[in-house]
């Protein structure tokens, strides 16, 4: 069975018990008309007594209790099902490579986790059990009806077969529209997510009208599709109801005629009327099952596509006993696709232990891509990366990444307290003394004293209650607490004001005697005192050395420096 079908038809023990109880409840409903028939026919020839009513009341009560327990178990199974699906998707997403996130919008992924998993849950725990019970009820009802009266049963089967034939095209029409609506809902979720994440820039650029127009366009598409479905049902619904009532009328007229001719008892006709209602519900359930299946199949296919995406390779040896680690990257070449141009072209760099190594160059030169390869966020590249002479891919992914702490220009602050952010990802939680030392190294101690609650101050979503400089300092303190041999500063001061930049540079210098620093920058103020600078331009290394050496040897570097007015020659 295909993986997307497995999601739809996976039945756990709890749901199986619930289905069996539903079947038992259905059996109670099936035998109830037989007791009613007996009661009516006996009453026609003798006096009514409580004893004759007792079987009816007993079966009715048993059916109600069994169905109540079944409904509860189905609900619990459904809640557990959606919990497990969401956990599985989230776990999978955490294992997928960065390239997957570049190709899939975050808002759409959120929609898949929340909306599509809900659709699958509803189908698995509601539609599937109902369909199973409906089939059993339908077969049982028809079997009993055949036993009671063959001719009247054939009239019922023929009448409702015509109704089913009329209802089938509705499912096909709905299938196409359900796929479209799911697609537009995921796009709408994406737009909403982007708008919330970028609300500040939307306001600053007075772009509310443009954003509203984009949202309105997708929302109107959903509204338009919904109107089309409403229009179809407004026409076909009454038609289907008319044919159902017509079928019911034919059965009643035929049965009444038989009763008047004394070829059918009133008790049997009453039983038939009850069984007709028993049959109508399963028929409607099975007719709706196809529509629900089509919708759930679409959701399941998308989730299966995520779950079948190749994960990052995580296996390998652990890194143990390396006292002075150094890393070499040799002849690294990279491009995003076969038709795209090279981002990196035969780049070779090395990072010696306890040195401050800088990679500098203009925006778009490939500096961040090089770091993605170094940290194995990007695995598909040409060339080799060595740790003390051994291939990086020999080591497990977790072990390799434990070599690095990264401070980025992007906002890497999570909602929660300052303490939560400082200890993020740490297995062994640091003491208060260690936390204070990290904040001191990051020049953040004075800022902490100003916050109510200090380390327990809630920073808000994405650290919205902090300044840009404070967010960067917390990242530096977090990197220090990780106690890794390499700390990477990827454009860590590019978005800061001069005062904040000066404090961050002091923090970097504070760490330079204790860690191997890898500093990525296009602003030379960050790295003029580096032990070694690699000048990356036009996707390749044009020179390597100290700041003064590069000024003498590499004309393009000198031009680059002069353009920024910070030459200290």
């Amino acid at each position: 069975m295909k993986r997307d079908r497995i999601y739809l038809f996976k039945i756990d023990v709890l749901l199986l018990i619930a289905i069996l109880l539903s079947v038992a409840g259905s059996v109670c409903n099936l035998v109830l008309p037989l007791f009613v028939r007996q009661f009516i026919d006996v009453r026609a020839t003798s006096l009514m007594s409580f004893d004759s009513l007792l079987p009816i009341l007993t079966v009715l009560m048993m059916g109600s209790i069994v169905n109540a327990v079944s409904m509860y178990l189905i609900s619990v199974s459904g809640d557990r099902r959606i919990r497990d699906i969401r956990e599985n998707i989230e776990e999978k997403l955490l294992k997928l490579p960065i390239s997957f996130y570049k190709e899939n919008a975050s808002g759409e992924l959120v929609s898949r986790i929340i909306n599509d998993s809900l659709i699958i849950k509803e189908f698995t725990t509601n539609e599937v059990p109902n369909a199973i019970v409906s089939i059993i009820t339908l077969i049982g009802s028809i079997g009993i009806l055949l036993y009671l009266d063959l001719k009247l049963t054939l009239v019922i089967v023929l009448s409702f077969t015509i109704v089913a034939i009329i209802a089938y095209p509705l499912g096909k029409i709905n299938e196409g529209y359900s796929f479209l609506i799911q697609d537009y809902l995921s796009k709408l979720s994406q737009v909403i997510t982007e708008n919330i994440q970028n609300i500040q820039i939307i306001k600053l650029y007075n772009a509310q009208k443009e954003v509203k127009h984009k949202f309105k366009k997708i929302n109107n598409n959903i509204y338009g599709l919904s109107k089309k479905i409403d229009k179809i049902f407004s026409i076909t619904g009454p038609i289907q109801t008319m044919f159902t009532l017509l079928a019911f009328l034919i059965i009643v007229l035929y049965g009444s005629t038989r009763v008047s001719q004394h070829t059918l008892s009133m008790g049997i006709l009453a039983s038939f009327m009850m069984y007709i209602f028993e049959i109508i519900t399963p028929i409607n359930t099975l007719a709706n099952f196809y529509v629900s299946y089509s919708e759930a199949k679409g959701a399941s296919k998308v989730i299966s596509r995520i779950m079948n995406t190749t994960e990052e390779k995580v296996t390998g040896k652990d890194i143990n006993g390396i006292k002075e680690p150094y890393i070499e990257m040799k002849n690294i070449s990279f491009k995003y696709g076969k038709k795209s141009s090279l981002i990196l072209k035969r780049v070779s760099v090395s990072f010696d232990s306890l040195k401050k190594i800088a990679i500098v160059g203009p925006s778009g030169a490939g500096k961040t891509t090089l770091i993605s390869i170094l940290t194995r966020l990007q695995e598909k590249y040409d060339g080799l990366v060595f740790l003390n002479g051994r291939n990086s891919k020999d080591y497990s992914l977790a072990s390799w990444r434990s070599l690095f702490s990264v401070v980025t220009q992007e906002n890497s602050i999570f909602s929660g307290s300052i303490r939560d952010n400082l200890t993020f990802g740490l297995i062994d939680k640091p003491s208060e003394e260690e936390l204070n030392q990290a904040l001191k190294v990051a020049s953040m101690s004075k800022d902490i004293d100003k916050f109510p609650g200090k380390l327990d101050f809630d920073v808000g979503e994405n650290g919205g209650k902090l300044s840009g400089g404070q967010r960067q300092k917390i990242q530096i303190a977090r990197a220090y607490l990780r106690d890794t041999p390499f700390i990477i500063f990827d454009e860590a001061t590019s978005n800061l004001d001069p005062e904040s930049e000066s404090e961050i540079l002091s923090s970097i210098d504070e760490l330079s005697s204790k860690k191997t620093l890898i500093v990525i920058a296009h602003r030379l103020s960050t790295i003029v005192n580096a032990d070694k600078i690699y000048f990356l331009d036009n996707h390749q290394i044009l020179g390597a050395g100290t700041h003064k050496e590069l000024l003498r040897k590499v004309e393009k570097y000198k031009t680059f420096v002069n353009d920024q007015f910070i030459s200290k020659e």
Side-chain angles (χ1 to χ4, degrees):
M1 186 181 288
K2 291 182 179 179
R3 192 162 187 173
D4 58 313
R5 304 284 176 85
I6 292 174
Y7 282 115
L8 297 183
F9 296 104
K10 183 178 179 182
I11 298 177
D12 58 25
V13 175
L14 191 64
L15 185 58
L16 181 60
I17 293 171
I19 291 173
L20 292 175
L21 288 174
S22 293
V23 171
S26 177
V27 170
C28 290
N29 293 336
L30 286 174
V31 300
L32 184 63
L34 296 177
F35 286 106
V36 172
R37 169 219 171 185
Q38 184 180 14
F39 173 78
I40 292 174
D41 287 344
V42 168
R43 186 185 168 208
T45 57
S46 62
L47 294 174
M48 181 177 66
S49 66
F50 178 76
D51 289 343
S52 60
L53 272 174
L54 188 59
I56 296 175
L57 295 175
T58 302
V59 172
L60 192 62
M61 187 174 295
M62 285 178 58
S64 298
I65 293 172
V66 169
N67 285 327
V69 175
S70 173
M71 286 176 62
Y72 172 73
L73 293 181
I74 285 174
S75 298
V76 171
S77 176
D79 293 336
R80 187 164 67 183
R81 176 84 170 137
I82 195 169
R83 179 201 66 185
D84 292 344
I85 290 175
R86 286 172 177 166
E87 283 183 2
N88 289 338
I89 298 172
E90 175 66 12
E91 183 180 355
K92 179 69 178 186
L93 289 173
L94 292 172
K95 295 178 180 179
L96 294 180
I98 290 296
S99 57
F100 174 84
Y101 294 93
K102 294 184 183 297
E103 296 167 2
N104 295 272
S106 59
E108 185 176 352
L109 294 175
V110 170
S111 175
R112 298 309 179 192
I113 294 174
I114 296 175
N115 298 331
D116 288 6
S117 58
L118 183 61
I119 291 171
I120 292 174
K121 172 254 184 181
E122 289 295 326
F123 177 78
T124 304
T125 57
N126 289 330
E127 301 300 333
V128 171
N130 286 341
I132 293 171
V133 173
S134 295
I135 291 171
I136 293 172
T137 301
L138 202 57
I139 294 172
S141 297
I142 292 173
I144 294 173
L145 291 176
L146 287 169
Y147 165 75
L148 292 174
D149 191 275
L150 176 62
K151 292 180 181 179
L152 188 54
T153 302
L154 292 176
V155 171
I156 291 173
V157 171
L158 182 62
S159 301
F160 283 107
T161 299
I162 294 171
V163 173
I165 291 171
I166 293 169
Y168 176 75
L170 297 179
K172 296 297 292 182
I173 295 169
N174 233 19
E175 179 181 1
Y177 283 116
S178 66
F179 282 133
L180 285 172
I181 286 180
Q182 280 176 258
D183 186 49
Y184 276 119
L185 281 172
S186 66
K187 290 179 180 177
L188 190 69
S189 177
Q190 176 186 339
V191 169
I192 293 170
T193 303
E194 287 178 349
N195 290 349
I196 293 172
Q197 289 176 344
N198 298 295
I199 189 65
Q200 183 173 331
I201 198 69
I202 290 171
K203 289 180 176 294
L204 290 174
Y205 278 67
N206 289 322
Q208 290 93 332
K209 186 177 290 185
E210 181 181 341
V211 167
K212 183 180 178 182
H213 175 74
K214 185 177 180 180
F215 177 89
K216 190 175 181 180
K217 183 178 179 181
I218 298 173
N219 203 32
N220 280 338
N221 285 332
I222 296 172
Y223 172 66
L225 288 172
S226 299
K227 278 206 308 182
K228 287 181 180 179
I229 294 174
D230 293 340
K231 189 181 294 183
I232 291 168
F233 272 106
S234 68
I235 297 171
T236 57
I239 293 174
Q240 186 177 353
T241 302
M242 181 185 72
F243 275 96
T244 301
L245 292 174
L246 185 61
F248 186 77
L249 181 62
I250 292 170
I251 295 164
V252 171
L253 291 174
Y254 176 74
S256 300
T257 303
R258 291 276 305 279
V259 170
S260 65
Q261 293 173 350
H262 303 290
T263 58
L264 190 73
S265 73
M266 183 60 72
I268 291 178
L269 180 60
S271 297
F272 263 86
M273 293 299 101
M274 293 183 70
Y275 278 117
I276 286 173
F277 287 107
E278 284 292 324
I279 290 172
I280 288 174
T281 301
I283 288 175
N284 288 334
T285 298
L286 293 173
N288 292 329
F289 178 82
Y290 181 77
V291 177
S292 300
Y293 171 68
S294 300
E295 186 177 4
K297 186 170 68 172
S300 183
K301 279 184 177 179
V302 176
I303 290 177
S304 293
R305 179 178 63 81
I306 294 173
M307 298 302 291
N308 292 329
T309 302
T310 303
E311 298 176 2
E312 292 179 307
K313 181 180 177 295
V314 298
T315 56
K317 297 182 178 180
D318 290 334
I319 297 172
N320 294 315
I322 300 177
K323 294 182 179 179
E324 294 185 359
Y326 67 90
I327 292 175
E328 296 175 278
M329 304 180 75
K330 291 187 176 181
N331 298 320
I332 302 297
S333 296
F334 174 79
K335 59 181 178 180
Y336 283 106
K338 292 181 179 180
K339 296 182 180 180
S340 64
S341 57
L342 283 171
I343 305 299
L344 295 171
K345 184 178 180 181
R346 298 184 65 81
V347 171
S348 295
V349 298
S350 61
F351 306 103
D352 296 331
S353 182
L354 299 179
K355 299 290 184 182
K356 182 179 180 181
I357 311 298
I359 300 173
V360 67
S363 297
K367 303 184 296 296
T368 298
T369 301
L370 189 65
I371 294 305
S372 293
I373 292 171
L374 174 63
T375 54
R376 289 175 61 180
L377 289 175
Q378 181 58 254
E379 293 274 23
K380 295 181 180 180
Y381 59 88
D382 294 325
L384 296 168
V385 180
F386 296 100
L387 173 65
N388 289 45
R390 186 161 188 171
N391 195 321
S392 64
K393 293 185 179 179
D394 291 343
Y395 298 106
S396 70
L397 193 61
S399 184
W400 181 261
R401 288 181 181 161
S402 68
L403 294 171
F404 307 98
S405 296
V406 183
V407 180
T408 69
Q409 64 176 323
E410 298 169 355
N411 185 7
S412 299
I413 301 298
F414 298 87
S415 58
S417 67
I418 292 175
R419 186 188 304 274
D420 293 335
N421 277 277
L422 290 174
T423 59
F424 181 77
L426 296 178
I427 298 174
D428 299 320
K429 299 305 179 184
S431 64
E432 292 294 314
E433 184 179 345
E434 290 170 326
L435 289 173
N436 291 329
Q437 176 62 26
L439 292 168
K440 183 179 178 182
V441 170
S443 302
M444 185 65 181
S445 300
K446 292 181 180 179
D447 298 85
I448 294 294
D449 292 335
K450 298 175 183 176
F451 294 129
K454 297 187 177 180
L455 287 177
D456 295 315
F457 175 72
D458 192 303
V459 300
E461 186 179 11
N462 295 323
K465 297 179 183 178
L466 304 173
S467 68
Q470 289 169 338
R471 288 195 289 265
Q472 293 297 75
K473 291 174 188 177
I474 289 176
Q475 284 197 70
I476 292 173
R478 181 167 63 197
Y480 178 83
L481 286 167
R482 272 177 60 83
D483 195 25
T484 57
F486 297 90
I487 298 183
I488 298 171
F489 293 88
D490 187 2
E491 303 281 13
T493 65
S494 60
N495 297 327
L496 301 179
D497 57 80
E499 183 179 353
S500 296
E501 181 184 21
S502 177
E503 291 180 336
I504 298 299
L505 291 177
S506 297
S507 300
I508 293 174
D509 290 337
E510 176 77 18
L511 291 169
S512 61
S513 61
K514 305 169 185 175
K515 308 284 183 181
T516 301
L517 303 187
I518 302 172
V519 183
I520 311 301
H522 67 269
R523 286 163 63 170
L524 293 172
S525 55
T526 315
I527 47 83
V528 288
N529 62 344
D531 296 301
K532 192 173 187 178
I533 300 172
Y534 289 95
F535 181 54
L536 182 62
D537 191 21
N538 197 25
H539 314 297
Q540 55 190 327
I541 300 294
L542 298 186
T546 64
H547 174 59
K548 291 183 178 181
E549 288 171 348
L550 286 175
L551 283 175
R552 289 196 305 268
K553 295 189 299 183
V554 182
E555 187 63 32
K556 201 164 186 179
Y557 178 82
K558 186 176 182 179
T559 303
F560 180 73
V561 170
N562 290 333
D563 286 344
Q564 296 196 46
F565 304 103
I566 60 163
S567 174
K568 296 185 179 180
E569 187 179 20

